[in-house]
Amino acid sequence: MIPRKRTENMTAGRILYNGIIHTLDTASSVVDAIAFGRDGKILALGRLHDMQSLIDETTEVFDLQGCFAMPGLIDFHLHALPGMIVKLYSTRLKPTDNFAAVLERIRLAALEPGEREWIVGSAFGPSALADMQQLGAQALHMLDAVSNGRPVVLEHVSGHGIFANSAALVRAGITAHTPNPPDGEIVKVAGQVTGLLHETAAWLVQDKIPALTPQQMIDVAGKAVALFNSVGMTGFCDASSTIDMLNTFRALDDQGRLTCWAGFTLALSSTCPGYDPAAAEHLLAEHRNICGEHMIAGAAKIFLDGVPSLRTAAMIDPYPSDDPDVLPDHRGAMALSPEELEEEIARFDRLGLSVKVHAIGDRAVLTVIDAVEAVRRTNGPNGPQHHIAHGQFIRPDDIARLSQLNILADLNPPLWFPSSASLTHKGIVGDQRYASTWPVRSLLDTGTDVAVGSDWLTIFADINPWLALSGLLTRRDPTGKFPGVHAPEQAISLHQALPLFTRNPALAMRLGEKTGQLAVGLSADLIVLDRDLTTISPEHIAGTKVLATFFQGRLVHPADKHVKGIFRLTTHV
């Protein structure tokens, strides 16, 4: 047993034993018992026989009956409130729907009275987008015809574009004469708006959708956290966070309902949706005061480029296309010049903030690496670790530079195996260029720090880290819907993959002294699974179910009344 330094009358609040408990410490230790202190921290690890002195008449002792347990998962990149708002308030679209199927779903939704006038559909994919582009302005008229006079916004699966009906365009003041905003496009055909809005142009409409009340937002946050706990998460990092978001989670934390570690990447850059200079300065000044006991905000967000599916990711080589409307030398665009990016990163670096840069195209990724290298020369080499979010297209020659410059690769799973989104990207950039994407093994081989996030709610409507884990090990679609394998040489082992979901995100969020592994003195954040991940095939990992989630020693999934149906409560040991 590895006990904490003893204090008088120190006993365990709960002990779990007879399990296969993987600590995910650097020694990859496996124990069969763990004791939770009454302070929510791990009191001891080892064998139940050696924990007798920690047990009194109030200690709950549970027999895991041979179940597999490990540290709680930490999702390093998601959009907590927007994702849950979509889940609770939007009309569900399937990314595989064609435009006719989308119209029928909206027609039915428009007939429902509901409390909200606006209809938000999420999310349409490549088939519907192709139909919209082919139909041009006619697609807008077809959406208007089924909208029942209500404003409608359909969100693209990438999160970087929308299709809005005429009522929504009117609310936003968008006409045929409205110029494109910086870094965005109001798509027009023959001078007429089509309803398609890319990148920052989408903000013009999205800003007009009535906001939820503060209490509704707190309820949304509570439901999001409950969802996270149910899939085994005891931590997350929101990828673009406003001051309203921090205030919402602070209220939840003060109510004792924030049952996971919550990290926030602050929307301090002009490239972030809804940016307001005064609000950003207020957020920068107050973020530490707003954060509660279970919150941390140690990073700033920059959106540098877009996404391949809309041809807005910044590429070195032009996008191949037979479409006459696509310029032959089209390479995407960046929201900041290299000099502006370097200046922004340098500013946040001096303040001790990590910077998470959304960069997907290889030109954007290279620009981030060069900017961080310049910042290291200017500010010194020991500044905070910075992050490239996605980094989908990275040149082999640039991979080694990430570890040399202390840049973390923030990777998102839905695209590293065949899916509707990845096949769309492959079709747009070509087989050869897509073949080198998501080089996870190469990143690890060069010593690059890697952390995994779901990017929920993009690509997949539901958050499922076990699908992501299975896909990392096989590079195949865990659902079986899409055949084939993507870059099988980049598959990694379970031993390599589990820290990317636990220890690495904790360290990147500056929570490594609190969570991310099971060690004495760290938070008692543990999950119990219905299968032993080490003894089954990678394909079977995709179906993993979480039997129980503990956060700071407290059972947060399922409800306490159900736990006796999972574990056997032992009265005498």
Side-chain angles (χ1 to χ4, degrees):
M1 181 182 74
I2 310 171
R4 290 180 65 193
K5 183 177 180 180
R6 294 298 304 272
T7 59
E8 189 174 355
N9 298 324
M10 184 170 62
T11 57
R14 177 175 280 146
I15 291 178
L16 310 180
Y17 78 101
N18 189 26
I20 305 169
I21 304 171
H22 287 252
T23 66
L24 295 189
D25 61 11
T26 54
S28 301
S29 304
V30 180
V31 299
D32 60 19
I34 184 169
F36 298 163
R38 300 180 190 278
D39 59 357
K41 296 180 180 179
I42 296 171
L43 189 59
L45 294 155
R47 299 179 303 167
L48 179 64
H49 174 77
D50 297 321
M51 298 182 183
Q52 299 301 310
S53 63
L54 304 179
I55 300 172
D56 66 12
E57 64 278 3
T58 65
T59 303
E60 291 186 329
V61 183
F62 286 104
D63 183 351
L64 293 181
Q65 303 182 79
C67 285
F68 178 99
M70 60 177 283
L73 307 180
I74 301 174
D75 190 312
F76 190 60
H77 185 125
L78 53 67
H79 302 274
L81 294 184
M84 202 65 199
I85 288 171
V86 167
K87 192 172 182 67
L88 294 173
Y89 292 100
S90 74
T91 297
R92 180 67 62 89
L93 307 178
K94 294 182 178 180
T96 54
D97 285 345
N98 60 20
F99 188 49
V102 169
L103 290 176
E104 178 60 15
R105 295 183 193 278
I106 297 304
R107 184 187 71 81
L108 295 174
L111 297 175
E112 295 291 332
E115 297 181 4
R116 292 169 65 83
E117 179 192 12
W118 285 67
I119 298 171
V120 178
S122 185
F124 70 89
S127 179
L129 177 60
D131 292 343
M132 294 169 185
Q133 291 169 331
Q134 183 176 4
L135 289 166
Q138 185 183 350
L140 178 59
H141 301 320
M142 294 169 70
L143 180 58
D144 290 342
V146 300
S147 299
N148 197 23
R150 299 167 67 176
V152 176
V153 172
L154 309 180
E155 298 179 335
H156 186 255
V157 69
S158 67
H160 285 250
I162 64 172
F163 183 54
N165 74 348
S166 294
L169 295 173
V170 168
R171 301 286 179 95
I174 295 175
T175 70
H177 305 291
T178 304
N180 288 331
D183 307 313
E185 180 185 8
I186 301 170
V187 179
K188 300 174 185 177
V189 173
Q192 298 300 309
V193 294
T194 64
L196 283 171
L197 306 172
H198 294 170
E199 302 295 343
T200 60
W203 304 355
L204 303 175
V205 172
Q206 289 170 325
D207 287 346
K208 300 301 180 182
I209 300 174
L212 299 176
T213 67
Q215 184 55 55
Q216 286 175 317
M217 292 300 293
I218 294 170
D219 292 340
V220 166
K223 291 175 181 177
V225 169
L227 172 65
F228 300 160
N229 290 159
S230 74
V231 298
M233 289 164 50
T234 55
F236 71 87
C237 185
D238 187 87
S240 183
S241 312
T242 64
I243 196 164
D244 290 340
M245 183 179 295
L246 265 67
N247 284 326
T248 296
F249 278 98
R250 175 57 187 266
L252 194 72
D253 205 2
D254 289 346
Q255 295 173 12
R257 297 168 58 199
L258 183 51
T259 54
C260 60
W261 301 103
F264 300 93
T265 309
L266 305 174
L268 299 175
S269 167
S270 61
T271 63
C272 296
Y275 174 78
D276 175 82
E281 289 304 310
H282 181 60
L283 175 60
L284 182 60
E286 295 297 324
H287 68 274
R288 290 186 179 86
N289 296 328
I290 296 173
C291 285
E293 178 184 359
H294 303 108
M295 300 167 61
I296 190 166
K301 182 63 177 287
I302 296 174
F303 286 91
L304 187 58
D305 70 344
V307 290
S309 51
L310 299 178
R311 292 185 172 87
T312 53
M315 309 297 288
I316 293 173
D317 295 322
Y319 285 91
S321 179
D322 297 327
D323 187 341
D325 293 329
V326 177
L327 296 175
D329 196 41
H330 180 67
R331 303 167 190 263
M334 294 189 294
L336 299 172
S337 69
E339 295 76 19
E340 290 170 332
L341 178 65
E342 179 186 334
E343 183 179 346
E344 283 211 3
I345 294 177
R347 178 195 177 206
F348 296 133
D349 182 273
R350 286 192 295 270
L351 295 172
L353 290 172
S354 297
V355 182
K356 185 188 294 292
V357 186
H358 169 110
I360 290 183
D362 51 9
R363 182 158 58 95
V365 171
L366 175 60
T367 302
V368 176
I369 296 172
D370 287 344
V372 173
E373 184 174 51
V375 169
R376 299 293 188 217
R377 288 196 302 266
T378 303
N379 289 359
N382 300 319
Q385 184 178 63
H386 300 306
H387 316 150
I388 292 180
H390 314 301
Q392 184 174 343
F393 297 87
I394 181 171
R395 302 183 309 171
D397 291 345
D398 293 331
I399 290 176
R401 297 178 65 197
L402 299 183
S403 60
Q404 294 166 5
L405 295 169
N406 192 21
I407 301 174
L408 177 139
D410 167 10
L411 303 184
N412 312 121
L415 294 171
W416 59 51
F417 50 78
S419 67
S420 61
S422 67
L423 294 177
T424 298
H425 290 188
K426 184 178 179 180
I428 289 175
V429 304
D431 293 357
Q432 182 176 355
R433 200 182 317 191
Y434 198 77
S436 62
T437 57
W438 303 107
V440 182
R441 176 179 287 277
S442 296
L443 290 166
L444 294 176
D445 287 347
T446 61
T448 299
D449 287 338
V450 175
V452 167
S454 63
D455 202 14
W456 185 71
L457 180 78
T458 62
I459 313 299
F460 291 162
D462 296 311
I463 189 167
N464 189 330
W466 310 107
L467 288 177
L469 176 58
S470 177
L472 260 184
L473 308 186
T474 67
R475 307 286 288 205
R476 296 182 182 274
D477 174 23
T479 70
K481 295 178 182 177
F482 298 92
V485 57
H486 174 59
E489 72 280 0
Q490 292 296 335
I492 61 176
S493 69
L494 180 69
H495 175 75
Q496 290 174 304
L498 288 179
L500 313 189
F501 293 79
T502 54
R503 192 170 68 236
N504 289 13
L507 290 169
M509 291 166 61
R510 309 180 190 185
L511 292 173
E513 295 183 355
K514 294 184 177 181
T515 189
Q517 57 184 311
L518 303 178
V520 170
L522 269 60
S523 182
D525 305 335
L526 174 141
I527 57 177
V528 184
L529 308 181
D530 70 343
R531 62 199 69 187
D532 185 342
L533 302 182
T534 65
T535 62
I536 60 177
S537 70
E539 291 79 7
H540 287 151
I541 289 176
T544 298
K545 303 297 180 186
V546 178
L547 300 178
T549 301
F550 296 89
F551 176 67
Q552 292 192 315
R554 170 186 166 194
L555 183 71
V556 295
H557 169 77
D560 273 296
K561 63 182 179 181
H562 300 304
V563 72
K564 293 180 182 179
I566 302 172
F567 310 131
R568 183 163 59 87
L569 180 62
T570 305
T571 54
H572 300 287
V573 292

